[in-house]
Amino acid sequence: MDLSAMYKISYGLFVLSAKNSSKQNGCIVNTVMQVTSTPNRIVVAVNKNNFTHDMIVASKEFNVSMLSTSVPFEVFKHFGFQSGKDVNKFENFNHKIANNGIAYLDKNTTAYLSAKVVSITDLGTHSLFLADVTDGAKLSDEDSVTYDYYQKNIKPKPNAKPKKTVWRCKICGYEYEGEELPADFICPLCKHPASDFEKIEA
Ligand code: FE
């Protein structure tokens, strides 16, 4: 089939956050959608490699921060290009704490939701969380960012010259610095394989 048809599905972009007894954590996802209004329920699919995934499995609770069109690329780098296993992403990053005790972003966002997991479906690489919306608030009058807007206006331009030779993910814009990209490399942001990277000479 023509796989480019898949890129025509429209998505939003969100910071999905959760906590355990020692820290708050969050990652970038594009797979949040409301599925029913009575009861008010959402789903989110999360890659099992994300630390946030394990926190949600354990705690059954999470927040969704809906990113706005003003969100800078740095936010994607901060929450998408590093793992909560290695760093505390909220330690020096502006945020607020919702009633469920979990962090959310109150800048470059349009709203946030708090949710409690109802069921977890094993999708192989991902888990699909179905959850009751328990709280939330509108945070700004900006437009929520779409994946398409991110591709066109936020991620580094495909022809932008880097200072060092990099391998750039064609899907999300993530840049790996170095002459050679390991064959088993997985994009830390969108989890696409090395075959979806292109070499950009400095
Ligand atoms: Fe990527």
Side-chain angles (χ1 to χ4, degrees):
M1 75 163 272
D2 176 8
L3 281 177
S4 67
M6 299 304 292
Y7 298 129
K8 293 298 181 186
I9 298 176
S10 53
Y11 296 98
L13 285 166
F14 314 90
V15 171
L16 177 72
S17 51
K19 69 173 170 66
N20 62 20
S21 56
S22 61
K23 70 176 166 185
Q24 303 274 351
N25 189 47
C27 64
I28 303 283
V29 296
N30 66 336
T31 50
V32 175
M33 67 182 286
Q34 183 182 14
V35 286
T36 55
S37 52
T38 314
N40 186 11
R41 284 181 169 169
I42 57 175
V43 290
V44 57
V46 189
N47 191 291
K48 291 178 182 174
N49 291 324
N50 284 319
F51 190 41
T52 310
H53 170 275
D54 297 351
M55 285 176 153
I56 297 174
V57 169
S59 69
K60 307 281 194 292
E61 287 197 282
F62 62 85
N63 286 344
V64 171
S65 301
M66 301 178 210
L67 298 170
S68 73
T69 50
S70 67
V71 64
F73 186 61
E74 282 61 42
V75 171
F76 294 94
K77 276 185 166 168
H78 186 80
F79 285 99
F81 294 8
Q82 52 185 354
S83 174
K85 288 167 190 156
D86 314 317
V87 292
N88 186 332
K89 297 185 192 179
F90 280 102
E91 196 171 29
N92 293 306
F93 197 94
N94 192 61
H95 67 277
K96 286 204 165 140
I97 302 291
N99 288 327
N100 61 2
I102 299 171
Y104 68 92
L105 304 194
D106 61 327
K107 296 268 154 54
N108 305 121
T109 44
T110 57
Y112 82 94
L113 298 175
S114 294
K116 234 182 165 70
V117 173
V118 174
S119 71
I120 305 175
T121 306
D122 189 339
L123 305 181
T125 56
H126 292 62
S127 290
L128 184 73
F129 298 103
L130 172 67
D132 279 324
V133 176
T134 56
D135 201 2
K138 184 178 157 185
L139 299 169
S140 76
D141 285 318
E142 293 181 83
D143 291 328
S144 291
V145 74
T146 62
Y147 188 63
D148 188 56
Y149 185 93
Y150 171 80
Q151 291 286 338
K152 289 173 176 156
N153 302 291
I154 299 176
K155 86 169 187 184
K157 292 275 173 281
N159 52 1
K161 273 259 179 202
K163 290 191 180 76
K164 290 179 187 163
T165 296
V166 299
W167 290 81
R168 189 178 288 147
C169 176
K170 288 188 270 188
I171 310 300
C172 74
Y174 175 78
E175 290 183 349
Y176 174 93
E177 273 185 22
E179 277 303 311
E180 293 307 325
L181 183 71
D184 59 352
F185 191 78
I186 304 285
C187 179
L189 181 54
C190 72
K191 314 297 180 194
H192 276 245
S195 55
D196 281 321
F197 280 72
E198 57 188 346
K199 190 176 187 178
I200 316 278
E201 308 274 357

